[in-house]
Amino acid sequence: MKKFVVGNFKMNTTPSEFNVYLDEFLPRIKDCKANIMFCLPATHFCVAKSRLEATNIKFLAQNISSEEKGAFTGEISNVMVKDCGAYGTLIGHSELRKRLKETPESINQKIIRALAVNLKVILCIGETKYERSTKKTKLVLKRQLDTALKGLYENELKNIIIAYEPVWAIGTGKTPTAKEIENTVCDIRSIIAENFTVRSSEKINILYGGSITESNFGQFVKIKGINGLLVGGAKKKKKSFANICK
Ligand code: 13P
């Protein structure tokens, strides 16, 4: 099974800079077998659609609105993202949970909206430093997953990838050990099994994200139960990101 390598651009690069990024990045990953995806600002969709069409790289939004349409200035809807050619959307990134006070209920609404127009979802979950230090990781992940996946049918899970991103590991240079990630992924699968079935818990794809670099990514891809990586900072360097993909 091909591994996923997802690069989250966050609020970095202009569309013109992204164009130049692709000039250098695309030749480097020509024969790469990984399932590569970019999570992009909406301003980059036009460039992405024309430049990535002939490649195997898919692009996703970093967020969508929980509303269908109407007076929601600054927001972007599921159909808008779909119409631009996006393959899917990230939902529930901790930076949005924190800065924009995203709630578990709005995350659930966004997932339902994404699936309604055939957008794939990368659902981000993860515990804070405090939650980890008070041994609440499993409880927190359970709460996040129970609410986010509420009301979904089991067959919809094939359109969802879960990204385990401990909040304290994002952009800090700190990561859990491989054993800790393996145990947490096991917990995530058991929560999915409780909500759906064991079969669906075994099939769902789970990524790890948080302070992945060109020098440490090898230990994460090897972890049992991990199907790929969600990379932030390291994808700024085209060469590093291309090497991780390869
Ligand atoms: P870093 O790789 O910079 O820690 O970011 C991870 C992330 O937030 C990806 O969504």
Side-chain angles (χ1 to χ4, degrees):
M1 170 94 185
K2 278 193 203 174
K3 296 270 182 191
F4 294 88
V5 189
V6 184
N8 181 6
F9 277 65
K10 307 194 178 189
M11 199 173 73
N12 292 303
T13 73
T14 64
S16 324
E17 286 164 351
F18 176 57
N19 212 2
V20 175
Y21 181 100
L22 292 177
D23 287 341
E24 293 181 41
F25 179 77
L26 294 179
R28 288 184 191 274
I29 49 99
K30 238 176 169 181
D31 301 314
C32 179
K33 300 278 188 296
N35 237 325
I36 305 172
M37 299 184 194
F38 288 146
C39 300
L40 299 173
T43 46
H44 296 30
F45 289 174
C46 224
V47 175
K49 190 170 193 300
S50 67
R51 297 288 313 270
L52 301 180
E53 214 152 40
T55 73
N56 292 326
I57 303 175
K58 299 182 175 69
F59 71 94
L60 290 82
Q62 294 176 3
N63 188 24
I64 57 166
S65 178
S66 58
E67 301 293 339
E68 190 183 358
K69 62 177 168 181
F72 302 103
T73 303
E75 297 203 39
I76 299 174
S77 76
N78 56 355
V79 282
M80 292 173 185
V81 164
K82 181 74 183 176
D83 194 56
C84 287
Y87 176 71
T89 180
L90 270 189
I91 292 184
H93 195 283
S94 63
E95 285 154 12
L96 281 162
R97 289 185 199 249
K98 189 167 172 220
R99 282 180 55 82
L100 299 184
K101 310 272 180 280
E102 177 107 278
T103 64
E105 289 72 24
S106 72
I107 289 169
N108 175 246
Q109 197 55 44
K110 288 177 181 190
I111 293 176
I112 291 168
R113 291 245 181 261
L115 298 181
V117 296
N118 293 322
L119 285 170
K120 307 279 178 196
V121 169
I122 299 182
L123 167 64
C124 301
I125 57 170
E127 81 287 0
T128 62
K129 191 176 165 195
Y130 175 74
E131 289 159 348
R132 171 182 157 92
S133 70
T134 51
K135 308 217 177 315
K136 299 239 167 57
T137 299
K138 187 172 179 188
L139 183 70
V140 167
L141 299 182
K142 180 168 166 48
R143 279 198 201 125
Q144 291 177 354
L145 284 168
D146 286 354
T147 313
L149 303 177
K150 203 170 170 183
L152 263 57
Y153 294 108
E154 185 181 346
N155 69 357
E156 292 179 298
L157 290 188
K158 64 177 181 302
N159 297 317
I160 296 182
I161 294 172
I162 293 173
Y164 170 55
E165 293 206 303
V167 181
W168 55 271
I170 295 177
T172 58
K174 297 190 182 108
T175 66
T177 64
K179 193 69 204 160
E180 283 171 328
I181 297 174
E182 186 180 326
N183 290 341
T184 304
V185 167
C186 209
D187 288 342
I188 293 171
R189 291 195 192 277
S190 77
I191 296 163
I192 300 289
E194 281 165 26
N195 280 291
F196 298 92
T197 59
V198 171
R199 193 176 136 78
S200 57
S201 75
E202 287 165 354
K203 284 179 91 177
I204 198 155
N205 286 306
I206 302 180
L207 316 181
Y208 169 73
S211 292
I212 294 169
T213 64
E214 191 183 352
S215 37
N216 71 10
F217 78 92
Q219 58 180 293
F220 302 123
V221 268
K222 278 192 241 140
I223 296 171
K224 194 166 155 242
I226 282 288
N227 307 102
L229 309 172
L230 177 52
V231 180
K235 58 113 258 324
K236 282 190 210 152
K237 292 185 208 135
K238 291 142 272 218
K239 197 165 160 226
S240 302
F241 189 52
N243 285 341
I244 294 174
C245 292
K246 281 198 267 188

